[in-house]
Amino acid sequence: MVLALKTYITDIGKKYIFLPVSLSIRDANNESIASDIRFVDFLSDNYRSFYEDSKFVCRENQIIPRRLKIYLVNPQINLTFSFPEIFNQSLLSYLTNDSRIKAFEFLGEKIRHSKLELIL
Amino acid sequence: MAVQSVRYRITAASGVPASLGYQSDIGGNLAINPVFRPHVDFTEALIDAIFLAIGAERREETIPCGESGDFSPRKLKFIRENGRSFSLVLGNRANVITAASAVVTAIANANLSRVICVELEGEKTANIIDNLSTKTEVIAAARIIPNNNIGNKLIYSSVMRNYASDAPYGTARLIGFRSQTDVQDSPYSELVDVINGCTGDITEVACGNAIKNFTYRRFIAGILTAADDEADAIQNITIPVAKHLPLDVLDCGTQIANSDPVACLFYEGQSMRLNTFLNL
């Protein structure tokens, strides 16, 4: 099974479904590590509902969806994962109020030239 | 003796920009940046002869904005008597046999360990739904569910009467195929007309479905499916493509891509062993 974003709407309004989720886990030295920590455990039920385990996904190698990076207090690691929503006040409040999270970053989406030519 | 990687490009046909020599199965000319890794016993002259055989030439520069990621161009794979193998990108399906034969001959003429096996590996694309579809919404269709009586998924199998092979180009063959479906003895109901259009005439009678060392060209469609009390899901089905001409392959893909439940679409070209045609 692959974890997928059930629905993803790009900054320019094109909708995709079942995009595979990318996940990176790094330690305090920013070295990639293996970990059992699940990023969805740091999300509210509303945000968790964006994700679904799926046998098949629709890979798009020319689109890198928006990503959320959260820095945890304990253990001192950071998780970067695909996130479907545009950054907003609600998300800011949620992240700020979670004591397990000491910092966060929002990384914008990337779309390659040839994909833009197709969809614009 | 040559040992380093050699960058090359496919020679473009007249009227096509030099950077776009590779002709996709689905139509259109693509920019690719292949690299050849010659064996240690290959001389520079032999490398040039091999490039000439497949319609390629050395290149100095990387072609900007070339295909990358999940796209894999069609290749000829050569296996030598000494157990080593190498692959070369082939720009045009019409040249499969002549190009393979010329490479085999070039190596034989150099009095090196001979080629004993040649395989065509079909091109594979990333998701091309945006290339082919104009629809704005994906609408869920019937779930492909296990057959309650057997426990296995329903499989529709049949035989294409007029499958046009890539090698020799356009040669008609009887080719069996199998695909998941939601209904007994028929292609997947939501795409039945599209699938029938892609497979062309079919027959239920053949000498078994599979042909050794041969896989037919196909689209793999990711279909959004729904079922009672279950979350929507993507399910894949394989749709064979009987016709070989790029416009026909493109037409088949366009019909699939614009079908309501199709969320993503991948293409895999024909793969086969070529020994029979090369007297190996």
Side-chain angles (χ1 to χ4, degrees):
Chain A
M1 302 292 273
V2 178
L3 191 63
L5 289 169
K6 284 197 285 189
T7 300
Y8 182 82
I9 299 174
T10 62
D11 291 353
I12 50 177
K14 176 91 175 163
K15 182 178 174 182
Y16 294 87
I17 60 176
F18 286 87
L19 285 181
V21 168
S22 73
L23 170 64
S24 160
I25 304 177
R26 292 177 180 273
D27 64 16
N29 297 318
N30 212 30
E31 297 287 335
S32 184
I33 59 168
S35 171
D36 294 333
I37 288 181
R38 296 169 358 123
F39 75 83
V40 290
D41 292 340
F42 297 88
L43 299 176
S44 67
D45 288 345
N46 177 43
Y47 293 130
R48 279 183 211 176
S49 68
F50 297 150
Y51 302 90
E52 182 174 317
D53 278 318
S54 178
K55 186 173 180 185
F56 299 111
V57 292
C58 286
R59 294 189 188 283
E60 279 286 350
N61 71 330
Q62 295 177 310
I63 297 176
I64 299 175
R66 301 171 199 102
R67 284 162 294 161
L68 189 59
K69 185 173 187 177
I70 56 176
Y71 295 80
L72 304 185
V73 175
N74 183 25
Q76 290 199 5
I77 62 175
N78 63 73
L79 310 172
T80 305
F81 50 90
S82 308
F83 192 78
E85 285 203 331
I86 293 171
F87 197 77
N88 55 46
Q89 184 64 45
S90 170
L91 179 61
L92 173 65
S93 300
Y94 180 78
L95 296 171
T96 306
N97 292 329
D98 190 326
S99 60
R100 298 171 299 176
I101 300 171
K102 67 178 177 184
F104 49 84
E105 294 174 43
F106 187 77
L107 310 171
E109 88 181 11
K110 286 176 72 174
I111 305 181
R112 289 192 63 186
H113 170 83
S114 52
K115 176 65 80 178
L116 284 171
E117 274 193 335
L118 277 175
I119 61 181
L120 288 178
Chain B
M1 293 293 174
V3 289
Q4 292 184 327
S5 297
V6 183
R7 303 188 302 174
Y8 65 103
R9 68 180 182 185
I10 307 300
T11 311
S14 173
V16 175
S19 61
L20 299 174
Y22 181 88
Q23 297 174 36
S24 167
D25 286 16
I26 311 172
N29 294 69
L30 305 178
I32 57 172
N33 290 290
V35 174
F36 177 45
R37 293 176 178 81
H39 295 168
V40 289
D41 54 347
F42 286 8
T43 63
E44 295 293 340
L46 176 58
I47 293 168
D48 286 333
I50 288 172
F51 285 158
L52 183 65
I54 61 164
E57 59 195 7
R58 294 174 191 254
R59 67 179 162 87
E60 298 298 324
E61 306 297 331
T62 294
I63 302 167
C65 239
E67 295 293 324
S68 62
D70 295 335
F71 177 79
S72 171
R74 84 181 67 83
K75 294 178 185 131
L76 288 172
K77 181 178 182 182
F78 299 85
I79 301 164
R80 300 173 66 194
E81 200 167 28
N82 62 10
R84 301 199 64 194
S85 65
F86 62 92
S87 295
L88 294 156
V89 172
L90 184 68
N92 190 328
R93 283 179 296 152
N95 302 336
V96 170
I97 303 295
T98 52
S101 177
V103 172
V104 170
T105 301
I107 292 174
N109 289 344
N111 291 318
L112 301 177
S113 173
R114 67 190 179 103
V115 173
I116 57 169
C117 189
V118 184
E119 293 171 353
L120 169 67
E121 296 178 342
E123 77 179 27
K124 294 181 180 176
T125 70
N127 185 5
I128 50 173
I129 192 82
D130 283 333
N131 303 53
L132 304 182
S133 172
T134 54
K135 69 177 188 243
T136 55
E137 197 68 36
V138 178
I139 301 169
R143 175 72 45 85
I144 299 172
I145 55 175
N147 182 334
N148 289 333
N149 295 325
I150 303 172
N152 297 320
K153 285 188 173 135
L154 282 176
I155 298 293
Y156 171 67
S157 60
S158 186
V159 180
M160 291 176 276
R161 291 174 64 97
N162 295 304
Y163 180 90
S165 179
D166 285 349
Y169 195 54
T171 307
R173 298 188 70 168
L174 276 176
I175 299 293
F177 66 93
R178 291 160 57 84
S179 182
Q180 288 193 25
T181 184
D182 62 335
V183 58
Q184 195 82 45
D185 298 328
S186 174
Y188 181 66
S189 53
E190 189 78 21
L191 300 176
V192 61
D193 291 338
V194 171
I195 294 170
N196 287 338
C198 292
T199 60
D201 288 345
I202 57 169
T203 176
E204 303 301 328
V205 181
C207 307
N209 275 347
I211 292 180
K212 194 177 178 187
N213 299 317
F214 186 100
T215 57
Y216 48 81
R217 75 184 71 86
R218 66 191 63 192
F219 284 101
I220 298 165
I223 295 169
L224 182 65
T225 63
D228 292 343
D229 302 327
E230 290 182 34
D232 288 355
I234 294 289
Q235 294 186 297
N236 282 0
I237 65 169
T238 298
I239 302 173
V241 186
K243 294 181 178 176
H244 65 304
L245 296 176
L247 280 177
D248 292 322
V249 180
L250 176 64
D251 182 58
C252 170
T254 304
Q255 301 281 336
I256 300 168
N258 284 290
S259 302
D260 284 343
V262 176
C264 46
L265 188 65
F266 304 87
Y267 173 79
E268 292 183 6
Q270 178 183 317
S271 295
M272 65 183 295
R273 186 163 290 176
L274 301 171
N275 287 25
T276 305
F277 306 104
L278 302 171
N279 296 319
L280 294 176

